[in-house]
């Protein structure tokens, strides 16, 4: 078996874990790469293949169906994955058609036995040759945006609403969907002493950001846990904005109400001034453990439901509410996520988001600030939450957050900030600055 076949076998393995065990591709990846002893370009090939298939599966299934008499839902799932991988190599990677077809036929043969192996290999061969011919001839353009960009329709509708609510033109929608389908380069935030990291380039906006070309080498993570945080540049900007905000008067206490796994808490804990306490709250024990591993030792990590205000009568100068959300702004980095979410997820989340924001306002002193953040641009978990909560709270108001993102261009009319993958090259983070009167 050649090295490159090993990469394809690993991609198939990753797809199986996502399909059968509900794994998150970005979390299962390191285990799969380790099992197949892959790194460097071979690891990058595996990631491109598996992530590409997960993102584009609706479009690829349409191409497969055009070539198959069999209804695609009746094809064995692992053979569907082999076919999707073949299609991705033909239409989106620079793999020659014959190599894409032959390697897929070998994979199909390898996961079957006896006469079944021959039949499956023949089936895969016929379908992929047909897809390659259609590709050469130019596929019929897809009029359905959901198929063309392989996104569920409700997510497309939510993006359109959000672009319009942010004063943008809905003609940007296709750029946004395209950006979601492009492999997002890994980004790390460097801490403290600004370590040099070989093979990285500077980020676009954040001084702390270092961008890697492809997969983050395990050696880097192992050797530098305390000096870097794997974190999209949008999240780095949000942590910086929290630090740049200006509560009136002297400060003594900061709070992160939804801290796990701790990316923002880590960057914040690095900058807590002398004499100021920093409390990081997280509902889930296992996520709170991750927070403890990355924050500086002076931070206090509390496992609790932040809505119960486990800090008692303490009032804070700054509070970060990085609320649990649908994550629609981070689909670039979570390739399978778009298929696992649905619009009904919003109902429970909206109540939780409102309650968390109310608890934050209840625990912020006069002149203090609350930063309400989501990694989603969905109007119902961003602007609508602010509108609902502030209608009940005349003791708080929204301020222009754009000055907290110095140097970042095209931030729209404010006062809230919405970052976009197709504009800023970051996850679509939402940030609102609220001040207690
Ligand atoms: C968007 S994530 C926060 C990401 C984090 N700030 C970071 O930068 O790594 C939301 C977190 O809130 C936690 N959470 C959910 N409900 C909560 C609650 N009621 N109280 C405290 N934390 C909660 C979730 O477990 C999740 O870890």
């Amino acid at each position: 078996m050649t090295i490159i076949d090993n990469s394809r076998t690993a991609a198939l393995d990753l797809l199986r874990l996502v399909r059968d065990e509900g794994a998150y591709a970005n979390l299962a990846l390191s285990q799969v790469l380790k099992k197949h002893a892959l790194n460097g370009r071979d690891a990058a090939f595996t990631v491109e293949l598996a992530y590409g298939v997960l993102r584009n599966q609706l479009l690829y299934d349409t191409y497969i169906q055009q070539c198959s008499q069999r209804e695609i839902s009746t094809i064995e799932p692992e053979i569907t994955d082999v076919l999707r991988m073949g299609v991705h190599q033909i239409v989106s990677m620079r793999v020659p058609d014959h190599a894409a077809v032959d390697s897929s036929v070998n994979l199909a043969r390898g996961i079957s036995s006896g006469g079944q192996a021959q039949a499956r290999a023949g089936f895969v061969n016929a379908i992929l040759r047909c897809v390659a011919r259609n590709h050469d001839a130019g596929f019929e353009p897809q009029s359905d945006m959901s198929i063309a960009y392989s996104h569920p329709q409700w997510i497309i509708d939510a993006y359109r609403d959000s672009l319009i609510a942010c004063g943008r033109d809905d003609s940007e929608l296709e750029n946004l969907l395209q950006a979601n389908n492009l492999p997002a380069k890994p980004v790390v935030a460097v801490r403290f002493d600004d370590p040099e990291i070989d093979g990285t380039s500077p980020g676009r906006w954040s001084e702390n950001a270092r961008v890697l070309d492809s997969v983050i080498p395990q050696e880097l993570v192992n050797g530098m846990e305390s000096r870097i945080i794997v974190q999209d540049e949008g999240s780095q900007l949000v942590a910086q904005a929290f630090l740049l905000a200006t509560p009136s008067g002297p400060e003594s206490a900061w709070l992160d109400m939804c801290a796990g796994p701790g990316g923002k808490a880590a960057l914040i804990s690095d900058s807590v001034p002398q004499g100021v306490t920093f409390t990081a709250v997280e509902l889930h024990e296992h996520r709170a453990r991750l927070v403890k591993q990355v924050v500086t030792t002076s931070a206090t990590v509390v496992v609790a439901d932040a809505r119960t205000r486990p800090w008692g009568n303490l009032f804070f100068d700054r509070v970060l509410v990085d609320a649990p959300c649908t994550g629609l702004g981070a689909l670039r980095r979570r390739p399978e996520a778009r298929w696992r979410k649905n619009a009904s997820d919003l109902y429970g989340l909206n109540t939780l988001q409102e309650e968390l924001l109310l608890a934050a306002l209840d625990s912020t002193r006069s002149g203090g600030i609350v930063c309400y953040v989501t990694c989603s641009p969905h109007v119902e978990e961003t602007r609508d939450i602010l509108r609902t909560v502030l209608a009940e709270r005349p003791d708080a108001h929204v301020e222009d957050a754009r000055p907290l993102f110095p140097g970042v261009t095209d931030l729209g009319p404010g006062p809230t900030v919405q970052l976009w993958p197709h504009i800023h090259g970051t996850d679509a983070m939402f940030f609102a600055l609220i001040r207690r009167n």
Side-chain angles (χ1 to χ4, degrees):
M1 188 181 275
T2 65
I3 294 292
I4 212 72
D5 279 333
N6 204 11
S7 301
R8 290 182 172 98
T9 309
L12 196 58
D13 242 6
L14 186 55
L15 293 174
R16 184 188 51 73
L17 288 172
V18 170
R19 186 186 64 242
D20 292 346
E21 297 181 23
Y24 297 104
N26 61 337
L27 300 185
L29 179 65
S30 58
Q31 162 201 339
V32 168
L33 295 180
K34 204 165 161 196
K35 176 178 156 199
H36 292 269
L38 292 170
N39 49 41
R41 289 175 57 178
D42 302 324
F45 187 92
T46 298
V47 177
E48 164 58 28
L49 191 50
Y51 280 29
V53 162
L54 289 167
R55 290 192 188 98
N56 292 296
Q57 66 186 49
L58 185 57
L59 178 64
Y60 292 170
D61 287 359
T62 307
Y63 292 157
I64 293 167
Q65 192 63 76
Q66 285 166 355
C67 289
S68 172
Q69 311 255 335
R70 241 172 108 179
E71 176 56 41
I72 193 159
S73 58
T74 68
I75 301 172
E76 299 79 359
E78 62 273 34
I79 294 298
T80 306
D81 279 344
V82 170
L83 287 169
R84 289 171 177 164
M85 282 172 42
V87 175
H88 187 64
Q89 293 168 69
I90 291 167
V91 305
S92 302
M93 293 175 80
R94 270 178 282 168
V95 176
D97 288 354
H98 67 85
V101 176
D102 292 351
S103 60
S104 304
V105 166
N106 286 339
L107 277 179
R109 207 175 269 130
I111 55 177
S112 327
S113 53
Q116 193 192 38
Q118 213 40 42
R120 285 173 158 189
F123 179 66
V124 166
N125 185 43
I127 301 283
L128 290 182
R129 281 185 189 286
C130 166
V131 171
R133 275 195 306 277
N134 290 350
H135 178 237
D136 287 346
F139 292 113
E140 294 270 305
Q142 294 292 335
S143 56
D144 183 338
M145 222 185 243
S146 170
I147 295 177
Y149 294 103
S150 204
H151 279 69
Q153 188 60 45
W154 75 273
I155 295 183
I156 296 180
D157 295 341
Y159 286 155
R160 182 183 288 109
D161 290 348
S162 179
L163 284 168
I164 292 168
C166 292
R168 311 202 76 94
D169 197 308
D170 72 350
S171 62
E172 289 182 21
L173 184 57
E174 293 194 49
N175 295 342
L176 169 58
L177 299 174
Q178 258 161 14
N180 264 356
N181 285 346
L182 292 175
K185 292 190 172 176
V187 185
V188 297
V190 296
R191 306 176 68 180
F192 314 116
D193 50 352
D194 193 13
E196 282 295 315
I197 307 178
D198 288 344
T200 64
S201 47
R204 186 161 158 200
W205 310 109
S206 160
E207 272 185 15
N208 293 2
R210 302 284 182 277
V211 183
L212 288 100
D213 255 344
S214 100
V215 188
I216 298 186
Q218 199 54 43
E219 309 85 76
L220 176 61
V221 181
N222 286 347
M224 302 183 76
E225 292 97 340
S226 56
R227 297 167 72 198
I228 59 164
I229 294 278
V230 179
Q231 191 176 52
D232 178 74
E233 209 174 349
S235 290
Q236 297 184 33
L237 289 176
V238 162
Q240 281 171 23
F242 175 86
L243 293 169
L244 286 176
T246 48
S248 60
E251 300 191 56
S252 59
W254 294 3
L255 172 67
D256 180 349
M257 274 177 61
C258 301
K264 296 179 198 72
L267 297 188
I268 292 168
S269 72
D270 294 345
S271 297
V272 178
Q274 278 284 334
V276 173
T277 63
F278 177 46
T279 308
V281 180
E282 166 56 45
L283 181 62
H284 299 291
E285 174 90 47
H286 67 282
R287 288 173 79 83
R289 267 200 301 277
L290 298 174
V291 180
K292 270 198 193 122
Q293 283 166 15
V294 292
V295 291
T296 50
T297 48
S298 58
T300 306
V301 179
V302 178
V303 184
D305 184 334
R307 291 171 297 178
T308 65
R309 297 200 279 144
W311 47 83
N313 286 331
L314 203 58
F315 282 83
F316 296 91
D317 314 294
R318 307 173 188 237
V319 179
L320 176 63
V321 184
D322 189 7
C325 69
T326 55
L328 292 195
L331 297 188
R332 305 179 310 156
R333 299 196 183 277
R334 300 179 195 150
E336 75 289 341
R338 67 187 74 177
W339 311 115
R340 291 203 175 144
K341 298 175 188 297
N342 52 67
S344 61
D345 296 343
L346 277 166
Y347 300 131
L349 282 171
N350 286 163
T351 309
L352 177 57
Q353 290 156 350
E354 279 173 34
E355 290 172 355
L356 285 165
L357 183 50
L358 282 167
L361 290 170
D362 284 338
S363 295
T364 305
R365 68 162 168 84
S366 168
I369 52 110
V370 174
C371 300
Y372 178 78
V373 173
T374 59
C375 60
S376 163
H378 200 302
V379 173
E380 286 178 32
E381 45 192 351
T382 54
R383 288 153 189 270
D384 285 358
I385 296 293
L386 290 188
R387 194 176 309 121
T388 312
V389 168
L390 292 179
E392 286 177 41
R393 297 298 299 245
D395 60 335
H397 64 274
V398 174
E399 291 187 354
D400 192 353
R402 291 172 299 171
L404 305 181
F405 292 75
V408 182
T409 51
D410 209 354
L411 288 176
T416 55
V417 163
Q418 177 64 66
L419 301 173
W420 294 104
H422 65 294
I423 306 275
H424 304 102
T426 62
D427 289 347
M429 303 297 297
F430 173 84
F431 183 100
L433 175 65
I434 306 163
R435 190 179 297 272
R436 278 293 310 275
N437 301 338

